[in-house]
């Protein structure tokens, strides 16, 4: 007789507090010619790198794209060229990220463009474990309900497959700060997600 089974996917999550950050910025410069725009943005990027190395390790500073295009005024007329060079700067903690943002704003000035700050959990293993446990419990509960609806009970586990179910992170807020103070980044709380697909025997 063929074994009857039920396969379900459980989802779970666990809270975690972000403790590191990736700051995404760009240098943007305009000039009459391509070469001038490129040279100006390159100089700004070099300065950004110098500031960033005061707050993080050099290997955590990475270019994210370099573009040069024709710049048009509000009437649609070509006025020159605009160059943009983006960078992602990984910071070991939120205090370093806040200090980095403050120094960049003060030292790079109007050539700086802030693209965003992504907060991360540097060691998510513990939260992932709790999320996995919650996902397995959810899978068992779902399977038990389906078994009852089928006039059966759950038997032994036949297969467990991990994957799916990750939830987007809810990041903290980047607080506004005056130019004379250090930008404060609020970590808030994020949730680490997990998904588990389990096959149970039906008795």
């Amino acid at each position: 007789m063929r074994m009857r089974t039920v396969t379900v996917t459980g989802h779970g999550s666990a809270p975690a507090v972000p403790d590191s950050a990736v700051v995404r910025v760009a240098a943007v410069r305009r000039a009459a010619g391509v070469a001038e725009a490129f040279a100006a943005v390159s100089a700004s990027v070099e300065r950004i790198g110098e500031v960033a190395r005061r707050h993080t390790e050099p290997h955590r500073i990475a270019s994210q794209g370099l573009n040069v295009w024709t710049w048009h005024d509000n009437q649609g007329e070509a006025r020159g060229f605009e160059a943009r060079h983006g960078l992602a700067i990984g910071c070991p903690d939120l205090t370093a990220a806040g200090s980095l943002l403050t120094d960049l704003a003060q030292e790079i000035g109007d050539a700086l463009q802030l693209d965003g700050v992504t907060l991360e959990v540097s060691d998510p293993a513990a939260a992932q474990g709790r999320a996995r446990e919650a996902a397995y419990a959810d899978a068992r509960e779902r399977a038990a309900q389906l078994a009852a609806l089928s006039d059966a009970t759950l038997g032994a586990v036949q297969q467990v497959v991990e994957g799916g179910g990750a939830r987007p992170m809810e990041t903290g807020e980047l607080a506004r700060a005056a130019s004379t103070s250090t930008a404060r980044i609020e970590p808030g709380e994020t949730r680490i997600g997990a998904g588990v697909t389990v096959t149970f025997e039906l008795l």
Side-chain angles (χ1 to χ4, degrees):
M1 181 177 177
R2 183 177 179 182
M3 178 189 297
R4 292 196 304 160
T5 61
V6 59
T7 300
V8 294
T9 298
H11 303 277
S13 65
V17 177
D19 58 357
S20 62
V22 177
V23 175
R24 290 181 171 80
V25 297
V28 181
R29 300 296 298 269
R30 290 174 176 174
V34 172
E36 294 92 334
F38 183 81
V41 83
S42 296
S44 294
V45 166
E46 183 175 352
R47 185 66 183 129
I48 290 174
E50 293 173 358
V51 174
R53 284 189 287 274
R54 299 204 303 258
H55 301 279
T56 190
E57 299 86 353
H59 71 270
R60 302 185 72 175
I61 305 169
S63 292
Q64 296 289 290
L66 172 59
N67 303 95
V68 181
W69 59 86
T70 304
W71 167 53
H72 296 83
D73 63 18
N74 294 334
Q75 284 70 47
E77 295 186 19
R79 294 295 185 183
F81 295 88
E82 181 171 289
R84 185 181 191 278
H85 190 152
L87 299 102
I89 306 169
C91 297
D93 55 62
L94 303 190
T95 299
S99 298
L100 169 65
L101 286 167
T102 299
D103 287 354
L104 287 175
Q106 293 176 347
E107 299 183 37
I108 308 304
D110 294 341
L112 181 73
Q113 186 174 86
L114 175 61
D115 291 340
V117 178
T118 302
L119 305 188
E120 298 181 342
V121 178
S122 58
D123 185 7
Q128 286 173 340
R130 294 192 298 271
R132 201 174 292 117
E133 291 172 1
Y136 185 86
D138 181 49
R140 176 169 284 277
E141 182 179 346
R142 290 169 183 261
Q145 182 184 22
L146 292 173
L149 292 172
S150 304
D151 295 323
T153 58
L154 291 184
V157 174
Q158 301 300 307
Q159 186 179 44
V160 180
V161 179
E162 182 179 13
R167 301 188 182 185
M169 299 183 101
E170 301 168 9
T171 59
E173 249 177 59
L174 173 63
R176 286 192 191 188
S179 61
T180 56
S181 64
T182 299
R184 177 175 173 80
I185 297 176
E186 302 293 346
E189 185 179 86
T190 188
R191 298 195 70 84
I192 306 281
V196 178
T197 299
V198 186
T199 298
F200 295 89
E201 180 185 3
L202 288 180
L203 302 177

